[in-house]
Amino acid sequence: LMATQGPNYALAKRIQQWRSILARDNGSTVSFSIAPATATASVLSNKMFAAAYGGAHFWEPVEIFYSDLSNSVMGILLVHDVRNPESSSRPHVNPDMNPMLWLTSKAFHGGFMRCAY
């Protein structure tokens, strides 16, 4: 989370996670996947993000993706969650799993969750 995103962005993301956890706990099928850092025009228009994304290759294992790949993978994860009866998006699959582990179980994070910084 970068300071340029601000507290409203952080709160919106946390509320999204809370709502997903509650919906799954109440018996709904919930598709929740974490998308990677994606080099979109709007992100790169911010000088700070552009600089960070430009230097990301120095921080292994971090990788920045382009929209086409991110959209494709996230779409496949959505189809998997909806069509696979054994997907972790189903409330009967691992009902006692720690909610934070559930949120990250299908993360396509581009290496950020493996980076020390």
Side-chain angles (χ1 to χ4, degrees):
L1 187 63
M2 294 177 70
T4 56
Q5 292 172 315
N8 290 341
Y9 177 83
L11 180 61
K13 287 299 181 186
R14 184 59 67 192
I15 289 171
Q16 180 186 37
Q17 292 174 351
W18 289 336
R19 289 181 53 92
S20 298
I21 290 168
L22 289 174
R24 184 175 183 266
D25 195 48
N26 288 330
S28 297
T29 297
V30 178
S31 178
F32 189 96
S33 300
I34 296 173
T38 305
T40 62
S42 63
V43 169
L44 296 177
S45 67
N46 180 305
K47 290 180 183 180
M48 188 175 257
F49 280 111
Y53 279 28
H57 64 277
F58 292 112
W59 296 91
E60 287 189 18
V62 173
E63 188 171 348
I64 306 298
F65 295 92
Y66 290 101
S67 298
D68 293 342
L69 181 61
S70 290
N71 290 341
S72 298
V73 172
M74 297 309 290
I76 290 168
L77 288 173
L78 174 63
V79 170
H80 171 268
D81 287 347
V82 172
R83 303 282 299 165
N84 183 357
E86 295 305 314
S87 167
S88 64
S89 64
R90 309 285 180 166
H92 70 276
V93 177
N94 295 327
D96 298 326
M97 178 186 265
N98 180 312
M100 297 312 287
L101 291 177
W102 170 70
L103 291 174
T104 60
S105 65
K106 294 184 311 286
F108 176 43
H109 52 77
F112 278 98
M113 291 184 173
R114 291 188 187 100
C115 188
Y117 305 99

